[in-house]
Amino acid sequence: MGNTQSSMSARTVRAWYRIHKWTSLACTAFLLMACVTGLPLIFSDEVTALIEPHVAPAPALAGATAASLDRMVVEAQAKFPSLHPFGLSWDEDEPRIFVNMSPSAEPKSGEIRSVIFDVHTGRLLEIPKGGFSLLEFLLNLHRELFLGLLGELFMGLMALSFVISLVSGALVYGPFMRRLSFGTYRRGAVNRIRWFDLHNLLGIVTLTWAMVVGATGVMNALSTPLFGLWRAQTLPKILEPYRGNPVPSHFGSVDSAVSKVSAALPQMKVSSVLFPNEVFGSPRHYIVWTRGKTPVTSRLFTPVLVDVSTGAMTVSGGLPWYLRALELSRPLHFGDYGGLPLKIIWALFDVALIAVLVSGVYLWLSRRRASVEKELDRLVKLESVPEGVMAQ
Amino acid sequence: MTQPFPFRKVYGPAAILAAITAYGLLSALLGGGVWDAISWVALACPLVVIARLLGRRGRTTK
């Protein structure tokens, strides 16, 4: 009886409860680590500015033109004769350009050395010292547990488990809360009830944020395979006409590649250049990454390939939908797209999520065997039970 | 003895907060300036709700 009127049967609720329990248990430890390491990572820019002060570029004069990139690359090469030019990247906030040098096409974390130049004067500003960086350490732990792609995919699986635990948690929230008013917090009650209230309250209020950060976490974890997929679909076609030709050992001018791309795509801004690279790029092209100039399009990148020997340009026609989705999901994971106030809000949500995780662990550790499921059955059937869910 | 599940009572406030949060998350993505400010206000809502619910005095039971 009653099942026709309650929205879920007791059996369904029990199943969702078990799903909530097991998916939560599977991911809690890693999620806790991700929340704790993620907290300082939200403020990466601020922390970097604080602990690694940098030499400021000269204020740009009106009509200042860009200095030669080729000369910067030569100068960076002279500073690191044993490394190869890996790529260039433009600073989003200041007129600075990073010339990145690497020992191989597939550098490991910490192997890239940057030489920073002033975009307009071309003056070498500084060479950040390599070695240990706390933020890089935290990011590596957060993203891949120091295990490379395997760790990245594992963390993606944990994020997926978290998303399932959120959905199932929201579903069992209903039966648990049917006799309580929204946001009930019984501060004077015994520990278990207080933690139970806290878990429900924080969980339901932060649900949407947690879903977005969890789902974008899954997306981010797939970025390496997704970019690999795009590369595998696109590059063979572009490289087909070159079949049999030797891979060029001398690269033509980056300056002319960049200005050609800027002229061809006036609505875009060049954000980085990847030098010939047989792992992430093309062995015979500069990949010039461009982005739009409006708030939305600035998150969408379009790569342009420029042949390093002939200077011929191939516009790939934009990225496929799954990489567009990935690009849009990045800011929604990092929380770095709305100034410092948004970062602070992000950090507060993160702390609330930590409390949800800790209270969840407490509820599991303090469980009385099978009683939660019995309690759920009772609530679903609405037998006349005394008030006080979860109380003994 | 049985009553229909009080869907509105249980999920109503959660749905409103979800809509406000979603709006706040998207607003800053769509633009700077005013859009950012709207996002701060919207996303502060769930946090204020948490603070108020946890800070409520004299409510030991329902």
Side-chain angles (χ1 to χ4, degrees):
Chain A
M1 63 169 190
N3 283 354
T4 48
Q5 282 186 312
S6 51
S7 51
M8 287 191 282
S9 75
R11 254 173 69 195
T12 322
V13 173
R14 256 170 177 262
W16 280 114
Y17 171 72
R18 288 210 192 95
I19 291 171
H20 181 60
K21 182 169 79 177
W22 290 110
T23 51
S24 303
L25 283 173
C27 70
T28 292
F30 295 96
L31 218 58
L32 209 49
M33 179 281 287
C35 284
V36 173
T37 52
L39 203 51
L41 287 172
I42 298 169
F43 301 100
S44 282
D45 294 342
E46 288 76 9
V47 173
T48 308
L50 200 69
I51 62 176
E52 288 160 20
H54 67 265
V55 180
L61 301 167
T65 50
S68 163
L69 302 169
D70 291 314
R71 254 198 42 222
M72 294 178 199
V73 173
V74 169
E75 205 172 337
Q77 182 71 80
K79 296 288 175 193
F80 292 106
S82 63
L83 304 180
H84 312 289
F86 183 77
L88 311 175
S89 55
W90 278 255
D91 188 338
E92 277 180 49
D93 306 315
E94 288 177 280
R96 298 195 300 161
I97 193 156
F98 289 62
V99 178
N100 299 315
M101 307 293 292
S102 163
S104 67
E106 198 177 5
K108 290 193 253 314
S109 172
E111 280 187 344
I112 287 207
R113 297 298 307 270
S114 299
V115 183
I116 306 173
F117 295 89
D118 185 313
V119 165
H120 301 116
T121 66
R123 192 168 60 90
L124 193 159
L125 293 170
E126 64 184 316
I127 302 173
K129 51 182 191 308
F132 181 79
S133 149
L134 180 65
L135 286 174
E136 214 164 291
F137 175 87
L138 292 174
L139 179 62
N140 201 315
L141 186 59
H142 183 96
R143 188 180 55 200
E144 57 189 44
L145 303 162
F146 295 98
L147 294 173
L149 180 59
L150 189 72
E152 225 172 291
L153 294 174
F154 178 79
M155 285 306 283
L157 195 64
M158 292 298 103
L160 184 64
S161 176
F162 175 54
V163 170
I164 298 170
S165 118
L166 288 171
V167 172
S168 53
L171 285 168
V172 294
Y173 171 87
F176 271 125
M177 293 300 289
R178 69 181 304 166
R179 319 192 98 202
L180 298 166
S181 58
F182 183 81
T184 297
Y185 180 61
R186 290 159 286 185
R187 61 164 66 220
V190 295
N191 279 343
R192 196 180 153 80
I193 292 184
R194 257 190 307 132
W195 284 101
F196 170 79
D197 285 348
L198 193 70
H199 189 75
N200 286 327
L201 190 166
L202 293 178
I204 199 71
V205 175
T206 61
L207 181 69
T208 308
W209 177 86
M211 278 290 263
V212 165
V213 174
T216 52
V218 177
M219 283 297 290
N220 277 314
L222 294 175
S223 68
T224 308
L226 288 182
F227 267 103
L229 176 67
W230 168 72
R231 195 175 166 271
Q233 284 177 338
T234 317
L235 216 58
K237 270 180 269 163
I238 293 171
L239 292 180
E240 177 60 30
Y242 298 93
R243 194 196 283 272
N245 295 9
V247 172
S249 55
H250 181 76
F251 305 156
S253 164
V254 193
D255 281 310
S256 83
V258 167
S259 52
K260 215 174 248 182
V261 171
S262 303
L265 300 173
Q267 77 286 14
M268 306 292 274
K269 211 167 96 179
V270 173
S271 68
S272 68
V273 177
L274 179 68
F275 276 57
N277 182 313
E278 66 273 18
V279 181
F280 301 113
S282 155
R284 47 177 79 249
H285 293 89
Y286 290 120
I287 298 191
V288 182
W289 286 93
T290 63
R291 52 195 275 181
K293 290 174 179 169
T294 69
V296 178
T297 59
S298 72
R299 317 217 175 262
L300 298 171
F301 294 80
T302 302
V304 183
L305 281 78
V306 179
D307 186 308
V308 289
S309 331
T310 67
M313 198 168 65
T314 315
V315 183
S316 70
L319 294 176
W321 65 269
Y322 52 86
L323 290 182
R324 291 257 180 251
L326 173 66
E327 288 172 338
L328 280 174
S329 78
R330 287 212 159 114
L332 285 169
H333 190 76
F334 305 147
D336 61 350
Y337 61 106
L340 188 58
L342 188 67
K343 293 183 183 184
I344 294 168
I345 286 169
W346 224 257
L348 291 171
F349 271 106
D350 188 75
V351 171
L353 178 54
I354 291 176
V356 175
L357 296 174
V358 171
S359 56
V361 172
Y362 177 90
L363 290 171
W364 178 67
L365 289 176
S366 69
R367 73 202 181 280
R368 290 154 297 145
R369 296 214 174 277
S371 65
V372 177
E373 288 174 20
K374 262 189 218 151
E375 182 76 43
L376 264 176
D377 285 355
R378 220 159 42 170
L379 282 163
V380 171
K381 289 183 192 135
L382 246 199
E383 290 164 5
S384 47
V385 286
E387 186 69 25
V389 187
M390 312 290 289
Q392 59 285 350
Chain B
M1 188 175 150
T2 21
Q3 333 161 341
F5 180 75
F7 197 85
R8 270 206 182 166
K9 184 197 108 181
V10 173
Y11 283 112
I16 293 166
L17 282 169
I20 294 173
T21 306
Y23 187 73
L25 287 169
L26 289 177
S27 175
L29 206 56
L30 295 175
V34 169
W35 294 93
D36 279 354
I38 293 172
S39 152
W40 303 334
V41 173
L43 289 175
C45 288
L47 296 171
V48 170
V49 167
I50 291 173
R52 296 206 58 163
L53 289 172
L54 291 181
R56 244 185 340 200
R57 305 227 154 249
R59 286 187 59 115
T60 50
T61 52
K62 187 198 155 199

